[in-house]
Amino acid sequence: MGVAAEPCALVVRRVGMFGGAFDPPHLAHRELAEVALAQLGLDVLHILPTGQAWHKARPLSGAEHRLAMCELVFGDLEKACVDARETLRVGPSYTADTLIELAKEYPGAELFMVIGADQLLAFKSWVRWEEVMDLATLAVAQRPPQGPDAALEQGLAADISHVDVPFVPLNMPLHHISATAIRARASAANGHGPDLDRLVSNDVASYISTHSLYQDPT
């Protein structure tokens, strides 16, 4: 399935948006996409690597690498579509703008935004978050606290009981996988290693090694 910046289906009623840095995309991302497609009954799920991320302090890996790795992770998943549009924008990329575009491309469709619990906790700090709420239903997967040492550690789920915005919970196991920790482990293992193979697909591990990604982890 090729990278797309156009609608991935002609007639749909339920459309999902799953955005993120995907730096790199890992096994929990894949499972979350599968759960969202099944539980929400989506006709199409747009996988949207971030362009210029207004909320990220660190520079992201090149869009070409993140898109290529997303194709490796999601390319064989029926009804999933790797969508390049946010990486093609000039300037900061905002979720509200993408939802507006999707609403125009799929007139009358119900929109869902797939996020993790950590994103839900920070949701009201997003630019134009009220507009996002008006455009889409939040579909939230539980995640443990994130950090550089979180990749293989066991811990508690993030507490979202006090969040005062409506959302639909997604039912999936709690995965202790952190992209930050994956980048650190990739660096320590010179791009490959047994721990890395437990966190990302073999194809992504090979891609990281071949392109010498994350040799200076941040």
Side-chain angles (χ1 to χ4, degrees):
M1 185 179 297
V3 173
E6 298 295 331
C8 302
L10 295 177
V11 179
V12 297
R13 293 186 176 88
R14 297 168 73 86
V15 176
M17 169 184 174
F18 182 16
F22 297 116
D23 197 15
H26 50 66
L27 298 179
H29 289 139
R30 167 70 185 221
E31 183 169 357
L32 178 51
E34 293 173 343
V35 168
L37 281 163
Q39 185 177 328
L40 300 174
L42 300 178
D43 297 300
V44 60
L45 175 63
H46 285 253
I47 309 294
L48 289 137
T50 302
Q52 182 178 328
W54 61 271
H55 60 296
K56 293 283 187 183
R58 67 174 184 85
L60 300 178
S61 300
E64 71 278 10
H65 292 306
R66 293 182 291 114
L67 286 163
M69 288 188 287
C70 281
E71 278 294 330
L72 294 173
V73 172
F74 304 106
D76 67 337
L77 184 57
E78 186 178 1
K79 299 183 181 180
C81 168
V82 178
D83 187 330
R85 78 180 72 210
E86 292 196 354
T87 69
L88 301 175
R89 289 183 187 148
V90 177
S93 184
Y94 299 119
T95 297
D97 293 325
T98 301
L99 287 171
I100 289 170
E101 293 175 1
L102 292 175
K104 291 178 180 178
E105 292 164 13
Y106 301 104
E110 186 174 2
L111 302 182
F112 296 85
M113 190 174 68
V114 178
I115 61 175
D118 54 332
Q119 293 170 299
L120 180 67
L121 291 171
F123 181 69
K124 287 192 175 181
S125 69
W126 290 20
V127 174
R128 295 156 56 198
W129 66 269
E130 298 98 332
E131 193 171 352
V132 172
M133 290 293 305
D134 289 339
L135 290 163
T137 298
L138 303 184
V140 181
Q142 187 56 269
R143 292 186 68 186
Q146 301 295 294
D149 300 318
L152 299 175
E153 293 179 359
Q154 297 300 309
L156 299 175
D159 181 9
I160 56 176
S161 61
H162 62 285
V163 175
D164 61 348
V165 296
F167 64 90
V168 174
L170 293 173
N171 301 318
M172 64 177 286
L174 187 65
H175 288 285
H176 300 270
I177 301 179
S178 159
T180 301
I182 291 172
R183 293 192 297 272
R185 289 174 185 272
S187 175
N190 293 318
H192 205 280
D195 282 346
L196 195 63
D197 291 340
R198 295 170 57 189
L199 304 171
V200 298
S201 68
N202 291 334
D203 286 344
V204 170
S206 295
Y207 188 97
I208 290 170
S209 178
T210 298
H211 295 274
S212 300
L213 299 182
Y214 313 128
Q215 295 309 292
D216 182 20
T218 54

